[in-house]
Amino acid sequence: MSRAPRPLTGRPLVEALIDGWRPLARLDVDGFALLRSRGVTRRAHSAVALDAPDSPSALLRAVERIEGLCAAAGEPATFRILDLHGPEPLDALLAERGYTLEGRSAVQEIALDRAPAPAPAAEIRVGGLDEEWFEAAWRLAPRPGEEARRTLHDILAGTPAVQVLLRPAPGEAPVAVGRAALVETGRERTSVLNQIAVDPAHRRQGLGRDVSRTLLAVAARQGAVRALLEVEEDNRAACALYRGLGSRELGLYHYRVGAAPAEHA
């Protein structure tokens, strides 16, 4: 029996989360990764600390530089703050500058040394973005905005992945989908689960669990030693589901959102 992997921590963890939902553009700025994706999804359109300075003066300069870059694009600066990585003074600095706190979520990890069996009825696609899967994912979980569909397609196409579909009967439209991006973390492979969605008319039938356990099983067969998940704190059903699959919490994160450039001025 294989050993459970050591929990992922520090910069490798942050890089895995970025690669699992890869932005369309990235600029490294003074120890931060500034991620840009046409304003679609905060995970792919925010700044996150990698090796940000702890010194108050250096940290302030980095924040001001990011604010300037965002203002030049006509956008407010948004930071993702991970309590499991730091730097510790960042959240207080942003609060002092008038940033609002939004979107509390947990980062969870599941070791894949004992991955569950896939659901027998699951359809599995591995590799590049599967267009039938994308059509089902967009129908089940669309996002607002003119650029949202194209941007989400481009984000999902950025990383090879396991993609799972479930249908109520052969030939019918999928009613549940999920994705596990496959990313390299040093000498190991990590899967990052996201885009799990179930048709409201088919909820409470165990489909979310079937999709999730299939993603974990196939990711393990593709060489992944762990799975990472990002779950909103108030999504009790998802938290219970992942606990049942063996997840452990690594830490929490939230966003700090600045004022629009004109307001800031």
Side-chain angles (χ1 to χ4, degrees), residues 160-225:
V162 178
Q163 300 145 91
V164 169
L165 298 162
L166 285 175
R167 306 176 193 269
E172 294 188 11
V175 295
V177 299
R179 172 182 183 263
L182 300 171
V183 304
E184 306 304 320
T185 47
R187 296 182 180 180
E188 297 177 332
R189 175 168 285 181
T190 292
S191 60
V192 184
L193 273 60
N194 47 50
Q195 202 63 26
I196 296 172
V198 178
D199 188 317
H202 292 82
R203 289 176 183 166
R204 301 185 182 278
Q205 299 175 20
L207 298 181
R209 180 178 177 83
D210 285 347
V211 166
S212 299
R213 68 187 179 95
T214 301
L215 291 172
L216 297 176
V218 180
R221 292 177 184 177
Q222 294 294 312
V225 300

Side-chain angles (χ1 to χ4, degrees), residues 130-179:
D130 181 85
E131 294 300 330
E132 182 185 17
W133 179 90
F134 176 76
E135 291 299 325
W138 179 258
R139 177 174 54 83
L140 293 172
R143 296 173 184 269
E146 294 182 4
E147 294 283 351
R149 181 186 173 93
R150 178 169 71 101
T151 301
L152 185 64
H153 185 282
D154 292 347
I155 289 171
L156 296 173
T159 309
V162 178
Q163 300 145 91
V164 169
L165 298 162
L166 285 175
R167 306 176 193 269
E172 294 188 11
V175 295
V177 299
R179 172 182 183 263

